[in-house]
Amino acid sequence: QVQLVESGGGLVQPGGSLRLSCAASGSVSSIYVMGWYRQAPGKQRDLVATITTLGSTNYADSVKGRFTISRDNAKNTAYLQMNNLELEDTAVYYCNVRKAVLGRSPDEYWGQGTQVTVSS
């Protein structure tokens, strides 16, 4: 099992910045992708950004150039630096990790979510 603890959400004005953290613990070996998803009220949960163990990243078009995902493999922690926040970024942000399992599809784990509210 993998436990995920998220932190860093909050209330910020448009144009402001926030940094989210996601710390993984437990059976963290073979985690190969860490990422962030978000879900606004009444909408589906969507990809924000992912990062592999080797540092390859993937971003949703809506956050490219504003958000940066990074990862400290030694600490099993992923970060999401969010700059120039917009009203549309308001959502609950969820950390996600995928863990390789020999002989079958990867296991997937989710954090409890952290609220990000962008409001003037």
Side-chain angles (χ1 to χ4, degrees):
Q1 290 291 320
V2 175
Q3 293 77 44
L4 301 174
V5 177
E6 301 147 338
S7 60
L11 174 64
V12 64
Q13 292 184 340
S17 297
L18 284 174
R19 188 191 193 211
L20 305 183
S21 299
C22 172
S25 62
S27 181
V28 297
S29 62
S30 302
I31 289 177
Y32 65 98
V33 176
M34 299 185 76
W36 293 92
Y37 290 70
R38 67 186 181 186
Q39 187 167 19
K43 296 189 177 181
Q44 66 182 18
R45 190 174 297 187
D46 291 326
L47 169 74
V48 176
T50 60
I51 184 167
T52 69
T53 304
L54 297 180
S56 295
T57 57
N58 181 45
Y59 293 93
D61 288 343
S62 60
V63 306
K64 284 180 181 176
R66 300 188 299 121
F67 291 11
T68 302
I69 190 169
S70 60
R71 178 172 175 172
D72 185 332
N73 290 327
K75 295 182 179 179
N76 297 303
T77 300
Y79 306 94
L80 185 68
Q81 178 66 44
M82 305 185 293
N83 297 329
N84 194 21
L85 282 159
E86 303 171 352
L87 297 176
E88 294 75 20
D89 295 317
T90 295
V92 178
Y93 284 69
Y94 295 92
C95 180
N96 171 274
V97 302
R98 271 167 266 167
K99 178 181 164 71
V101 180
L102 186 64
R104 62 176 177 81
S105 57
D107 286 342
E108 190 170 34
Y109 298 89
W110 292 92
Q112 79 283 0
T114 185
Q115 178 70 47
V116 171
T117 302
V118 184
S119 175
S120 55

